[in-house]
Structures are given as C-alpha cells and as structure tokens.
Amino acid sequence: MTQTQGHLPPQFWSTPAVAAALAECDIPAILAEIRQANEWTQAELAETVGYSQSWVSKVLRGRQPLTVDQVREISIRIGVPLHLLRFGARGDDDPTKRREFGKAVALTALAGVALPKRAEVDETTAPTLTSITGAQRRLEANTPARELARGAMAHVDLASRILSRASRSHFAGDIRAGLSEAAGFAAWVHADMHDTGTARTYYRLAIDSARQAGHSLLAGYMIGSLAAFEIDADDPTLALGLLAHARKELSERPPATARAWMSSIEALGHASAHDAPSALMALRMAEAAVTASERATAPPWPWVFPFDHAKLAGYRALVMVRLDRPEEAVAAFAESLSSAQPAAKQRGVLMTEIATAKALSGHHDEAFHLASNALTVGITYGSERVIHRARRFRRTYNGPKTASVRAFDERLQATLL
C-alpha cells in the first residue's frame, strides 16, 4: 500500500467533506475520502477493512447495507474516530448514547437499505455537531489556525443548514446551541489569525444563536469570550461593558466555574484599564468562586475543563503584568506553570507576558530571549495572535537597545518579508 491510514494528519477529520460525512454518519463518503487521501486503489481499501473488493464497491456506491457491528469494525480498522460517529454527547462518551445509535443502525440494516446520505434530524443531531466542535478544539492547541479555518467555517455552514431543516422541530433549540458552539470556535480560529473583523462576526453569530436557543449559560459564555477577545484587542472599556451584559445573561446563581472565569476576565479588563483596586477586588471574587467550584463534580457545559487555582494563577499573572508588578507576576506564572504545561500556541502567548514581566524587572536579555522563543512559536504554528503579542511586547519596551534587542528586531522584520 502507498500509505497507511494511521499517517493521516489529525486535521483530516475536520476538513469540510469529512466533517459533513461524520456529522451525517455517511460511511461510504468517509471511506471514499480516506481512500482518496491515502491514494489507495479499491483493492487496497478492501484489504484494509478486511472485506472483498466487490463488497467494498457496493458500499461505496451505497448499495450494501451495513450492520452496526460492521460500522464499528470498519471504523476501528480504518481509524475513524468512533466518538465523532454520533457516539457521544456534549463533552462525553456516553455508552447509553452509543447503544441508542447502535439500535438505529441495526434497524436500518434489518430494513435492507443502506445508511442514508442525509440523516434525518433527531435527538443525536445536536450532540453530533458539538462532538465535531470538541474534536476541532482539541486539534486547535497544536495546529495552525489557517489549517483549521476552512473546516471550522464549513462546520458552521453545516450546522446552519441542518438548523434550516429543523427550525420548527423540538430539536431546534439544541441544534442552535450546537451552531453557537461551532461559531464560537470559528471566531477563536480567526482571532488566532488576527482576523478581527471575521472573529467578531462569528462571535455575534455565536451569541445570537445561544440566545435564540434559550441557553443563558451558553450566551454568557460567548459574551464573556468576546469580552476576552476585546481585552486582547486593547479595548478593555468595551470588554468590561460586555462582561456586564454577560452577567445579566446568567441566572441569579450561576455555577461557580462561570463566576470564577468571568471574574478573572473582569480582573484582566480592569488591570488593562489601569484600575488596580477593581482588578484586585475581581481577583478576590474569582478566588472565592474557584474554592467553591472545587466542590463541584465537573464543570458545567460549555466549559470543558475545571477552572482551578492554576488557571486563576495564570490570570493573576496577566493582571500583575498590566499593573506593573513584575515580581508578583513572575511568582504567579511559576504557580500556574507548576501544575500543567500549556499547549504550544498558549505557551507562546504566555512567553510574551513573562517577557514583559522580566523587562519590567530589568532582565532585558532574558525578556528578549523569551520573546524570541514566542516569535518562533508564532511562526511555526502560523499564529498571528502570538506574532502580534511579540510585536506588541517590542512596541511597549523602553529599555536599552542591546544586541538581543537588535537581533529580535531583525527577526520581526523577517516575518514581514
């Protein structure tokens, strides 16, 4: 064979055609895409899945009905992520959902027809949409945003088209929530590309969809995400206004994770606006909420990970950088990084922040060493957000122009040429 399926890049599963096929559980389309990506003959595909060439030919033409066991067997052999084939709900891998899906596929096989190319909207549609977004989120940490952008936009388009077919069904609310999540991820990807206009467009869609879904927690999450984006875009006043709207969206007693996250963003907004008392008060509120969230069994959807003391330490470090307190910032960074190492692109962002703290404390060469490493991350992963952070660090630096500063300037110019 020319190539084994295991060598397919992770982003293959979020390409528009594959994402659409996964969403509708279109096994023939998935097999066709894998065959094309690997440049396999039909015989090579048949050898991989363990069936005859004539049987595979019928499957590809939609003339061979599949049992649930065959779907599972083929998926395992070919490397299809089972959790993307309707085998999961929001953020989990529920065996009950898998059994229900199994019954549906088995009944289809008993009826003697192949899996439909356009699945009907049902209770599994929204979880399928959110599981695809979850897979894209996991890829984002170490994948260039430009490689994810087309898939992210295609997924938003897919969710919109599904919603148009189901706008009057009782599944519409959950599908709108799935659209909101997809749009929120598309906004994040474009923010990483520093395409601020497109990012704001997708954030607006995410917020509107969450509101129309009647999901106040999701709407608050998306507005808070937009607020964090605006802080990064150097507009803390606008961000603080958005956070006030986000709090109104939440219920009177929002989950502790939501309170901790929102108070941390609020602290960063106040610090960016040079309001130290308000920033420190917001940090204290976040600390109390984090302590309360530790008693919860799991973070509420759409939060995927717990907001713990390590996460709060990271926000505290960012606040202290903006309040010109370098020693406290470096200590908070050390506390945050001692618990878990961030993914590549986030590590690049943090390096620019630590570089700022080091520069404030007079360690200029060390600061520019960190900033240069961050620039390398930005270039390697195609993250305009990280590159922009490195450029902003250089603009705000007012120290001596040492050899390390001149070398950094040359690298910055090279990124433009």
Side-chain angles (χ1 to χ4, degrees):
M1 292 186 187
T2 58
Q3 180 183 8
T4 63
Q5 190 281 330
H7 291 132
L8 286 176
Q11 56 267 29
F12 169 80
W13 304 106
S14 61
T15 57
V18 177
L22 287 168
E24 299 186 357
C25 198
D26 188 345
I27 299 298
I30 294 169
L31 290 176
E33 290 295 326
I34 291 175
R35 177 191 169 200
Q36 180 180 358
N38 285 299
E39 298 181 353
W40 284 342
T41 64
Q42 207 172 82
E44 288 172 328
L45 176 62
E47 181 184 345
T48 302
V49 300
Y51 286 85
S52 68
Q53 182 178 347
S54 61
W55 187 89
V56 167
S57 176
K58 290 179 182 178
V59 170
L60 292 174
R61 287 181 287 129
R63 296 183 179 179
Q64 174 64 50
L66 299 173
T67 67
V68 65
D69 288 337
Q70 286 172 330
V71 171
R72 187 182 299 277
E73 178 188 6
I74 290 172
S75 299
I76 292 172
R77 288 184 178 181
I78 208 78
V80 179
L82 291 178
H83 67 280
L84 297 184
L85 283 171
R86 297 186 174 191
F87 287 154
R90 291 175 181 145
D92 63 18
D93 189 19
D94 188 345
T96 302
K97 295 286 185 183
R98 279 190 265 173
R99 286 194 295 272
E100 291 303 315
F101 171 69
K103 293 175 185 175
V105 178
L107 289 173
T108 301
L110 288 173
V113 296
L115 289 171
K117 289 192 179 254
R118 171 169 288 203
E120 293 298 322
V121 172
D122 57 25
E123 70 277 1
T124 69
T125 303
T128 299
L129 292 173
T130 57
S131 70
I132 292 173
T133 304
Q136 291 175 326
R137 282 183 176 181
R138 288 188 288 274
L139 286 172
E140 186 277 332
N142 296 297
T143 305
R146 293 190 184 280
E147 294 181 13
L148 294 169
R150 286 182 61 195
M153 291 187 291
H155 187 41
V156 172
D157 181 61
L158 172 66
S160 299
R161 285 187 284 112
I162 290 174
L163 177 61
S164 69
R165 300 206 306 265
S167 59
R168 299 187 180 218
S169 78
H170 61 277
F171 302 118
D174 287 341
I175 294 172
R176 282 193 176 91
L179 171 60
S180 175
E181 275 204 287
F185 177 74
W188 174 257
V189 168
H190 284 86
D192 193 39
M193 294 192 296
H194 207 56
D195 182 352
T196 56
T198 305
R200 289 190 179 100
T201 297
Y202 277 115
Y203 272 127
R204 284 194 291 270
L205 175 60
I207 293 165
D208 288 344
S209 299
R211 283 173 166 167
Q212 291 172 24
H215 202 302
S216 59
L217 189 61
L218 180 60
Y221 175 84
M222 290 303 174
I223 297 173
S225 298
L226 176 59
F229 168 81
E230 295 298 350
I231 291 173
D232 200 44
D234 298 323
D235 197 341
T237 302
L238 175 60
L240 291 169
L242 288 168
L243 286 169
H245 283 288
R247 289 187 183 280
K248 289 179 182 178
E249 292 281 348
L250 301 179
S251 59
E252 293 183 3
R253 300 186 65 182
T257 296
R259 288 187 282 115
W261 177 73
M262 207 159 287
S263 294
S264 297
I265 297 174
E266 195 170 40
L268 189 56
H270 285 303
S272 300
H274 309 292
D275 183 352
S278 296
L280 297 176
M281 181 180 295
L283 280 179
R284 288 193 292 271
M285 293 173 62
E287 179 75 36
V290 166
T291 301
S293 70
E294 290 178 337
R295 295 192 290 270
T297 56
W301 179 81
W303 282 266
V304 178
F305 303 106
F307 195 93
D308 54 17
H309 284 283
K311 290 277 184 68
L312 178 58
Y315 274 96
R316 186 185 305 112
L318 300 178
V319 167
M320 295 308 167
V321 168
R322 283 153 181 74
L323 295 180
D324 295 337
R325 300 185 182 186
E327 290 79 11
E328 293 174 73
V330 171
F333 276 126
E335 179 186 347
S336 174
L337 296 175
S338 65
S339 297
Q341 288 296 314
K345 286 190 279 186
Q346 184 59 21
R347 189 164 63 248
V349 170
L350 290 178
M351 280 192 284
T352 63
E353 298 286 350
I354 300 172
T356 301
K358 292 290 185 181
L360 288 171
S361 60
H363 299 92
H364 306 296
D365 287 339
E366 187 177 354
F368 275 89
H369 175 72
L370 286 164
S372 182
N373 287 341
L375 190 57
T376 298
V377 169
I379 294 169
T380 301
Y381 290 93
S383 175
E384 289 294 331
R385 180 172 63 111
V386 176
I387 295 172
H388 174 72
R389 291 290 193 101
R391 293 175 62 187
R392 185 167 63 187
F393 161 77
R394 179 61 183 93
R395 282 200 310 271
T396 58
Y397 175 74
N398 295 315
K401 193 166 184 178
T402 63
S404 59
V405 176
R406 289 191 290 273
F408 184 78
D409 287 346
E410 290 176 2
R411 289 202 67 202
L412 270 183
Q413 292 170 17
T415 64
L416 299 176
L417 298 176

